[in-house]
Amino acid sequence: SKETGDIKASLSTTGEAVTLSSITTFCGFGALAFSDSAGVASIGVLAIVGILLVYLAFILLLPGILLIASEKN
């Protein structure tokens, strides 16, 4: 259907941008994980885990949620 095609087109173009921004943010906060300060290092690790979980949710959950929402309309 048209809605399914729109979702696929949107995710294919947005997915690249989200992937690249996630990688750069992951690397930036990842550098904090190697800090000599335990507090700063733990913030870096926590940020890495958070970024990874949000990215996985975007890649794995969002397409299904959008598909279900478009079928209800």
Side-chain angles (χ1 to χ4, degrees):
S1 72
K2 182 181 182 301
E3 289 88 11
T4 304
D6 292 344
I7 292 170
K8 288 179 183 177
S10 176
L11 290 175
S12 67
T13 56
T14 306
E16 183 179 346
V18 171
T19 299
L20 290 175
S21 65
S22 294
I23 290 170
T24 59
T25 306
F26 186 88
C27 291
F29 282 114
L32 293 177
F34 298 103
S35 173
D36 290 334
S37 168
V40 174
S42 67
I43 289 172
V45 170
L46 186 62
I48 288 171
V49 171
I51 294 164
L52 182 62
L53 291 176
V54 170
Y55 178 72
L56 289 175
F58 173 79
I59 296 300
L60 300 175
L61 298 177
L62 187 62
I65 292 170
L66 291 176
L67 185 61
I68 291 169
S70 71
E71 289 176 356
K72 288 184 178 182
N73 292 334

